[in-house]
Amino acid sequence: MKLQHYGAIAAIAVLAGLSAPSVQASNPQHLERLYRTGICTRCDLRRANLRRADLRNVDLRGSNLRGANLENADLRGANLQNVDFRDADLRGADFRNADLRGVTTRGARTQNTRGLLDYDDHRGGRHDDRRDDRSGGRYNDRDTTARSRETINRLYQEVLGRSADRRGLEAHARELERGMSLASIRRHLARSDEARDRIDRLYREILGRPADQGGLRNYQQRLIDGWSLDRIRQTLADSEEAQNRGRR
């Protein structure tokens, strides 16, 4: 598995539990966002090589994957609303339980896909193929459960600056496996009182004052958009206010 010129992305992909195949995307920043957060809405991923990529539960709404290589990729549970798959290689890809409303697959190679309806450009709907899941769950295998916990723990570390407690870990991992998107769980964490307290603590530590309401709203939205607490810390430390305080 090679990543030419994207060593940082490869490291992030390993931490995120995602496979990191060779990639040539129109916008590498979008690819980095996908691997780092599992969320990349309206992204430019044309011609990206995502062969055999583990993309379970990612949020790719409105993204352009025209001509992308997704052969044997795992997209179970992914939010793929309005994704452009024209001319893509989808052979052997697993789309079970993915949200496929509004996807476009004209010209795509779709042999041996799982869970993918024979879409016409404006035909859509959530496809629930449970032929291989007699338990009635959402592909409840051990690997999926372990990966869900790793994903939730990573979100806690990014958004709240700590590892997930057992109760939160189990609850959100179950939500993820039952179909809730990573974006929704991230939003829930970022809007929590704990996230507000963490941001306020950074303000007091770096700027010597409590966070104003505008700052709280701004940085909570940044957390929702994919920022980490460490990035907020660095942004506050680099601010003019912090620099002026250091000169006093």
Side-chain angles (χ1 to χ4, degrees):
M1 295 185 292
K2 302 177 183 177
L3 267 176
Q4 298 176 348
H5 310 301
Y6 302 116
I9 300 175
I12 291 168
V14 171
L15 290 174
L18 296 172
S19 301
S22 174
V23 175
Q24 288 186 346
S26 295
N27 192 322
Q29 288 77 25
H30 288 179
L31 183 70
E32 179 180 356
R33 186 193 311 166
L34 172 63
Y35 278 132
R36 182 167 59 83
T37 69
I39 304 166
C40 198
T41 58
R42 302 184 66 82
C43 286
D44 182 357
L45 298 172
R46 290 172 294 172
R47 299 178 300 280
N49 187 349
L50 295 167
R51 186 174 181 268
R52 298 185 182 277
D54 185 347
L55 299 171
R56 287 174 288 182
N57 298 309
V58 299
D59 188 347
L60 285 167
R61 286 172 295 169
S63 292
N64 187 347
L65 282 96
R66 185 167 186 172
N69 184 351
L70 287 149
E71 184 181 0
N72 293 318
D74 191 345
L75 290 140
R76 289 178 290 173
N79 190 336
L80 304 174
Q81 290 183 44
N82 301 312
V83 168
D84 186 350
F85 284 122
R86 284 178 293 173
D87 304 316
D89 188 346
L90 306 178
R91 291 175 298 167
D94 193 342
F95 291 90
R96 286 176 293 168
N97 293 304
D99 190 338
L100 298 166
R101 289 175 290 177
V103 300
T104 304
T105 59
R106 186 188 308 162
R109 303 171 72 181
T110 60
Q111 296 93 327
N112 300 317
T113 56
R114 303 176 74 181
L116 181 67
L117 293 175
D118 185 17
Y119 278 87
D120 198 354
D121 285 344
H122 301 291
R123 185 179 174 190
R126 180 177 287 277
H127 183 56
D128 187 6
D129 184 351
R130 296 189 177 176
R131 288 174 296 178
D132 298 306
D133 185 3
R134 301 302 181 186
S135 67
R138 185 182 162 78
Y139 47 88
N140 296 318
D141 56 85
R142 292 181 181 178
D143 290 342
T144 298
T145 300
R147 182 178 179 276
S148 295
R149 289 183 180 134
E150 291 173 3
T151 300
I152 295 303
N153 200 50
R154 186 179 73 253
L155 282 183
Y156 267 78
Q157 290 168 346
E158 289 184 359
V159 177
L160 301 180
R162 64 173 177 86
S163 296
D165 56 278
R166 181 166 182 171
R167 181 177 179 182
L169 181 65
E170 296 299 327
H172 289 306
R174 284 195 300 270
E175 290 172 342
L176 192 62
E177 292 184 5
R178 290 172 182 169
M180 183 175 287
S181 69
L182 280 173
S184 296
I185 296 173
R186 189 181 191 99
R187 187 180 305 112
H188 172 77
L189 294 177
R191 288 177 175 171
S192 68
D193 290 340
E194 183 176 351
R196 290 173 62 89
D197 290 344
R198 296 281 181 174
I199 295 169
D200 183 69
R201 190 180 306 171
L202 289 179
Y203 265 78
R204 294 176 186 273
E205 175 186 330
I206 297 169
L207 302 181
R209 65 173 177 85
D212 56 276
Q213 290 301 310
L216 283 172
R217 287 193 298 270
N218 174 56
Y219 285 118
Q220 281 186 291
Q221 184 60 49
R222 296 291 189 180
L223 289 174
I224 292 171
D225 292 340
W227 281 33
S228 65
L229 276 179
D230 286 341
R231 185 172 179 182
I232 293 175
R233 178 191 293 276
Q234 190 60 53
T235 299
L236 290 175
D238 292 341
S239 68
E240 184 177 352
E241 181 178 350
Q243 300 303 316
N244 290 336
R245 183 170 182 258
R247 297 190 190 102
R248 294 174 189 169

